[in-house]
Amino acid sequence: MLAAMDIQPETPWDSTPDVSARIVTAIGRIATVLRSGMWEVSTSEGLNPAQAEILQLLQHRTRGVRLTWLAKQLSISAASASDSVAALVAKGLVRKAKAEDDGRATALHLTPEGEAVAARLGHALSFADSAASRLPAAQQLQLLTGLFKLIAELQKTDRFPELRACLSCRHFEANKYAGEAVPHHCALVNAPLPISFLRIDCAEHEPTDPVTQRRNWEIFV
């Protein structure tokens, strides 16, 4: 009886999940809303979600991409990616050509019609872009930095797909101006590169070696 009386009552906050868990939940809910918005537009274009995402991944890729890269980005098998690409080729939205760096390999490109569809798909998430743009500039930068930090941590798990981001590009020079307000540099445009200009996906991206990539991402760890 005494033992039962010694049990402390549960406070209103005892069942509250950790902040980290709520961050993951929030990101998951946002992802659901984004998928819903993309689904509406992709359905109107006669595409399934995988096909729509492939068109977006191919957009602005003048050099084309390999099928294996697409499969990794979508976290699906090469066979599933091949089926989706075949459907897009049949629709006249994607074309195949020899890869610039290997004439024996095939690179995938958007056709002009595919570019037009990809552009329309891009507008599907304009509602989310507008919502983010209404945040104060300082808060946008803080959120972007936090997301880079989260991506850096996720990459340690080897579950995060390769990004064509500034931090994994050979043109990115980390801490070239150590101690300066803008320490990083982009060799492609030969200019200082502030965090607010770091890209998640860049059409001019050229991958650097894995060791340099890890060192660059550690900026955010």
Side-chain angles (χ1 to χ4, degrees):
M1 185 68 176
L2 288 175
M5 293 178 62
D6 289 339
I7 297 175
Q8 296 295 318
E10 184 179 275
T11 71
W13 317 116
D14 282 349
S15 60
T16 302
D18 291 340
V19 172
S20 58
R22 281 176 281 155
I23 289 172
V24 173
T25 298
I27 291 174
R29 296 291 178 86
I30 292 171
T32 298
V33 172
L34 297 182
R35 281 196 299 270
S36 176
M38 182 58 66
W39 174 259
E40 292 178 7
V41 177
S42 60
T43 300
S44 69
E45 296 286 352
L47 305 170
N48 64 35
Q51 292 167 359
E53 192 165 356
I54 287 173
L55 292 184
Q56 289 183 296
L57 288 169
L58 291 177
Q59 192 175 22
H60 308 309
R61 308 290 187 197
T62 57
R63 298 178 184 176
V65 302
R66 305 286 182 86
L67 179 66
T68 52
W69 183 83
L70 283 177
K72 288 180 181 178
Q73 292 296 305
L74 297 172
S75 296
I76 60 177
S77 68
S80 295
S82 180
D83 289 342
S84 292
V85 168
L88 292 170
V89 171
K91 294 174 186 288
L93 303 179
V94 171
R95 65 180 178 85
K96 298 180 179 180
K98 290 183 178 180
E100 292 183 5
D101 59 342
D102 185 350
R104 298 168 298 179
T106 298
L108 304 172
H109 302 259
L110 289 182
T111 63
E113 185 178 352
E115 289 282 1
V117 174
R120 291 197 292 272
L121 290 172
H123 292 302
L125 302 183
S126 59
F127 69 94
D129 193 326
S130 297
S133 70
R134 288 194 291 272
L135 297 175
Q139 195 169 12
Q140 289 186 46
L141 181 57
Q142 184 180 27
L143 181 56
L144 178 64
T145 301
L147 290 172
F148 269 115
K149 288 179 179 288
L150 180 56
I151 289 172
E153 292 292 345
L154 285 170
Q155 287 189 331
K156 295 179 182 179
T157 68
D158 294 327
R159 296 176 65 88
F160 204 89
E162 175 188 349
L163 292 175
R164 297 195 174 189
C166 291
L167 296 167
S168 60
C169 180
R170 73 176 185 85
H171 298 299
F172 180 73
E173 298 177 357
N175 296 316
K176 182 174 182 177
Y177 313 108
E180 299 288 334
V182 181
H184 313 307
H185 183 85
C186 176
L188 181 64
V189 297
N190 192 28
L193 183 61
I195 290 176
S196 58
F197 280 84
L198 290 179
R199 296 185 181 186
I200 297 290
D201 190 86
C202 179
E204 286 79 30
H205 179 277
E206 294 184 23
T208 187
D209 63 273
V211 174
T212 302
Q213 286 192 36
R214 285 194 296 271
R215 186 169 61 244
N216 288 346
W217 280 100
E218 284 175 358
I219 293 169
F220 288 97
V221 175

